[in-house]
Amino acid sequence: MTGESTEATRPSGAETLGFQTEVKQLLHLMIHSLYSNKEIFLRELISNASDACDKLRFEAVSDPSLYEDESELAIQIDFDAEAGTITISDNGIGMSRQEVIEHLGTIAKSGTSEFLSRLSGDQRKDSSLIGQFGVGFYSSFIVADRVELLTRRAGLSTADGVHWESTGEGEFTIEPAEKAGRGTTVILHLRADDQEFADPYRLRNLIRRYSDHIGFPVRMLEQQFAPPAAEDGEEPAELPEPGYETVNAARALWTRPRTDIKDDEYIEFYKHISHDFQDPLSWSHNKVEGKREYTSLLYLPAKAPFDLYNREAPKGLKLYVQRVFIMDEADQFLPLFLRFVRGVVDSNDLSLNVSRELLQQDAHVEAIRSALTKRVLDMISKLANDEDPEKYQAFWNEFGTVMKEGPAEDSVNKDKIAGLLRFASTHTGEATQNVSLADYIGRMQEGQDKIYYITADNHNAAKASPHLEVFRKKGIEVLLLSDAIDEWVTAHLQEFDGKAFVDVGRGQLDLSEIGAADETSTDELNEANKALIERIAGVLGDAVKVVRATNRLTESPACLVVDEFDMGKQMRKVLEASGQKLPESKPILEINPTHALVEKLAAEQDEARFADLANVLFDQAALAEGQQPRDPGLFVQRLNKLLIDLST
Ligand code: ADP
């Protein structure tokens, strides 16, 4: 009988296991979308090898025995043109059997499956979308129809090596193997069409192009040239055994002076740390010396990742301490609203033993965080002031809703963030958010000292709202806010450049100081229409807080207003969706006494018909705001009754 428990810890034979569904989907999509980008497999594998060396160096800080007898970390690339193979080896951390199964059989990112299955036909061919994934190791299968991997985790015995193999079609085989040196060796058996990669010039070229910035040497066999022709009677000169030589610069990019680094190198480095396939929008590289010493290299990506709003999505910077990699996703160095920023921070002041918990309380971290936040905001401001406005627009379209979390999260930088915000507005009428608060203020009317905005569920409802009528008449611009977070933004900002934010659908509206003072005051209107107002209030009863007359309407008979201190509609929705029970708040009904329908209502003698009309007036005011009538069926009945009356 085979002891099951020992089998579980160290199985002796080969085992065939299935890939997780997501991996199968990814492999399939990748092979079909990245065919024009094949060469990236080398970058991805070297990137993994470099990460593995980083991790070893980190673990060896507390356990130097992990170095065994080899403390120089390096990556080696070999090829065999005849056999059609490329081999990528590293002496990094390696993997245990369990790690191989977890890392090379599954994808840990949550939401992956939905994302992959949501991609439409065209998107499936779009390499940038698939690239959001950091296809990493799996990109081997773009050029290889069989991949072998031999690995041993540092610290385990030479008998604890693992051999993994797959043709990338749904399954992989895993078995124990002897491995003398620690680390990982990946052998790619190239597809018939991709034999071209097993070539020294091609490989050297790719290493220099994509992996020059890696902080470890990437080595290849020295190139040899044909021996000089033998002279008569002499044996041809023997060539010495070729040694390995370093092909890349082998110096971590951020440690080099800015002036020495080409844009292409910055771009490749971004791809290495972010696993993004697209070029970044911009970057900022800074070395700080003095009381605190650290270097940061921060990037703005061009595209938002699919899981930007997923709480568990990776965020934060790669942290190094004195060049030693400490951790990925160190999220203490930037506020949440800048979670899309990628990059590296390398501090000379932190301890090599720093943990996530310790980072949270460290004064250095706090100081670096506030400096990096300012750097990122400066980088974004620079983009906003770029002569090409499309650049900033592209940034805003991707990350604007996240930036809107800024004023609430970061009160210190509130004004700076406010200057970066963009909104849709009645000035353009477009759904694109492209109006800054400074633009708005620059277009304010004589006598106007407030920033007016309207909120609604969507852009069209905001744009069509009856509340805008008087603003249109007076030529006053109104910001059209339809993101769920917008009320949150205005609540936290309260003002910009001394101008208060005012919701045009809330409270009493006083525009008497702006434009021609030709309208009757609301007090006078209320007085003149007292009887009608009381009659309507009597019919609507509990459904409304107050009924009153208004001069804010020019074309519509009525509108709904939120009372001064009641919660706004968007905020209410967000809070209710998060499960909070909120006290009921009733709308105020404002009527336009000059509208024919309201005049007709005032003249109506038949009480039943008056009630129908008043109810329809109230429900259609809700409809005009993009809301539901209280009882849609009853609303239609009443409306039909009035229509029939009209035609008889
Ligand atoms: P990513 O690098 O984005 O995490 P990959 O699919 O490339 O995704 O790799 C998955 C995981 O497999 C890595 O996070 C790492 O833990 C492990 N891995 C890959 N290559 C190596 C390697 N050369 N040495 C050690 N571990 C590796």
Side-chain angles (χ1 to χ4, degrees), residues 40 92 149 156 216 242 258 272 340 468:
I40 55 103
L149 174 137
L156 296 185
F216 301 97
R258 262 196 316 218
H272 163 60
F340 49 85
L468 297 180

Side-chain angles (χ1 to χ4, degrees), residues 48-260:
N48 280 350
S50 155
D51 289 349
C53 292
D54 262 341
K55 282 181 200 152
L56 179 80
R57 192 156 63 182
F58 171 64
E59 288 195 15
V61 169
S62 50
D63 181 4
S65 74
L66 290 178
Y67 278 126
E68 300 173 9
D69 52 3
E70 194 179 42
S71 62
E72 210 229 339
L73 297 165
I75 299 160
Q76 190 171 305
I77 314 287
D78 292 285
F79 67 95
D80 180 337
E82 254 158 60
T85 59
I86 297 178
T87 304
I88 296 104
S89 318
D90 66 68
N91 58 0
I93 192 72
M95 284 178 269
S96 67
R97 177 189 155 84
Q98 196 49 39
E99 286 168 330
V100 172
I101 295 177
E102 271 165 29
H103 297 323
L104 308 182
T106 62
I107 298 177
K109 254 185 181 180
S110 62
T112 300
S113 190
E114 296 106 88
F115 174 78
L116 291 175
S117 52
R118 257 199 341 254
L119 292 183
S120 67
D122 275 352
Q123 287 175 323
R124 281 162 187 259
K125 299 198 192 88
D126 182 346
S127 59
S128 65
L129 278 172
I130 193 81
Q132 289 188 353
F133 260 90
V135 289
F137 174 76
Y138 301 111
S139 66
S140 315
F141 291 102
I142 310 174
V143 293
D145 49 17
R146 186 157 72 89
V147 176
E148 284 181 83
L149 174 137
L150 187 62
T151 186
R152 173 165 72 79
R153 198 176 204 292
L156 296 185
S157 84
T158 53
D160 282 321
V162 183
H163 180 265
W164 179 101
E165 180 168 344
S166 175
T167 55
E169 278 162 346
E171 288 175 345
F172 59 89
T173 320
I174 186 162
E175 63 185 316
E178 274 283 319
K179 191 171 186 301
R182 61 154 197 270
T184 304
T185 298
V186 179
I187 306 167
L188 307 177
H189 297 268
L190 297 171
R191 292 174 193 276
D193 286 351
D194 297 313
Q195 298 286 325
E196 60 179 271
F197 288 108
D199 172 274
Y201 300 101
R202 190 76 199 271
L203 289 170
R204 277 163 190 267
N205 215 322
L206 293 178
I207 294 168
R208 280 198 212 98
R209 170 136 37 109
Y210 291 125
S211 308
D212 210 34
H213 55 75
I214 296 283
F216 301 97
V218 179
R219 298 196 173 127
M220 281 188 73
L221 269 186
E222 279 168 352
Q223 279 179 292
Q224 291 200 329
F225 301 94
E231 283 174 22
D232 274 354
E234 274 182 51
E235 286 286 301
E238 277 274 317
L239 279 178
E241 272 293 294
Y244 278 91
E245 62 184 358
T246 301
V247 180
N248 64 335
R251 201 172 150 196
L253 186 90
W254 69 90
T255 64
R256 291 164 49 193
R258 262 196 316 218
T259 44
D260 281 6

